Amino acid sequence: MRSKGKIASWNDDKGYGFITPLAGGKQIFIHVSALSNRNRRPEVNEVVSYSVSKDKQGRPCAANATLAGDKPIKKAPKKSSKTAMLIPVVFLAAIGVSTATGNLSKILLIGYVVLSLVTFVAYAIDKSAAQRGAWRTSEGTLLFLGLAGGWPGALMAQEVLRHKSKKQSFRATFWITVLMNGAALAWLHTDSGRAALTGLLV
């Protein structure tokens, strides 16, 4: 939803200023990077159209701002990475083959599929909560679901829902959990791993 306001102040040396919303309320911070036409500098009392976003500290600020006569910024729709989407599909297919050849128990295949679905839903719920400003699912819970075997669903959620796909610290930890899960899966393909799994299932 876009709003309109007037430039209340502008510091051209520092490249930022404040907008007074026409509908009333607190002034909104605007940085030069939010302008569709950065070659044109705002002037006090000039009308500006903008979307309300948040900065890294969670403070409200203007985004996709256009001054009178300028055209709005048109962002190209983000496309999911084909490689990232292919990884969980290939992985689950490989687990299916390994199950069919008797190298793994069918319970593991079912577990990966169920946990992937649960994890995808957990990401969807968390994104919805973030948009509504409601209670969030902890990152620890999301990472644990991935570690337990739901990482294929997590990877698909990151690409399809565009959730938790930009935070580098989370992404780094996420891939560590994927490697840990992969190491455990590789161990289950050994004689000792199969024996341990059989012992748990019996």
Side-chain angles (χ1 to χ4, degrees):
M1 180 178 178
R2 295 185 64 78
S3 303
K4 285 188 176 182
K6 286 187 176 182
I7 300 295
S9 63
W10 180 259
N11 187 323
D12 203 40
D13 292 331
K14 295 183 177 180
Y16 68 81
F18 289 89
I19 300 171
T20 298
L22 295 181
K26 295 182 179 180
Q27 291 187 338
I28 300 293
F29 176 83
I30 179 172
H31 190 267
V32 64
S33 61
L35 295 170
S36 60
N37 184 359
R38 298 184 188 179
N39 294 322
R40 178 183 173 190
R41 290 298 187 264
E43 296 181 3
V44 175
N45 291 325
E46 189 170 11
V47 175
V48 59
S49 173
Y50 60 94
S51 298
V52 178
S53 183
K54 289 185 178 181
D55 61 16
K56 294 181 179 180
Q57 287 72 43
R59 298 171 298 189
C61 64
N64 193 14
T66 58
L67 300 171
D70 290 335
K71 295 182 179 180
I73 300 173
K74 291 184 179 180
K75 294 184 177 180
K78 294 182 178 178
K79 296 182 179 179
S80 298
S81 169
K82 290 183 178 180
T83 301
M85 292 293 289
L86 194 59
I87 290 175
V89 175
V90 172
F91 174 79
L92 292 176
I95 294 295
V97 171
S98 187
T99 299
T101 55
N103 290 319
L104 285 178
S105 169
K106 291 181 180 179
I107 292 179
L108 276 178
L109 175 60
I110 295 172
Y112 270 108
V113 172
V114 171
L115 280 170
S116 291
L117 290 173
V118 170
T119 305
F120 188 96
V121 172
Y123 271 73
I125 291 174
D126 185 52
K127 180 172 183 177
S128 176
Q131 293 173 333
R132 293 182 288 105
W135 187 265
R136 300 284 302 279
T137 303
S138 69
E139 289 188 347
T141 298
L142 297 177
L143 290 170
F144 176 77
L145 286 172
L147 175 63
W151 67 263
L155 190 58
M156 294 191 74
Q158 290 171 18
E159 293 300 320
V160 175
L161 304 177
R162 309 306 300 177
H163 188 53
K164 296 293 184 182
S165 59
K166 292 183 178 180
K167 189 174 181 180
Q168 294 303 314
S169 59
F170 179 87
R171 293 279 289 178
T173 307
F174 168 75
W175 282 109
I176 290 174
T177 64
V178 173
L179 291 175
M180 292 173 64
N181 181 268
L185 182 62
W187 176 70
L188 289 176
H189 278 82
T190 65
D191 292 337
S192 59
R194 281 192 290 268
L197 180 60
T198 301
L200 288 174
L201 297 178
V202 172

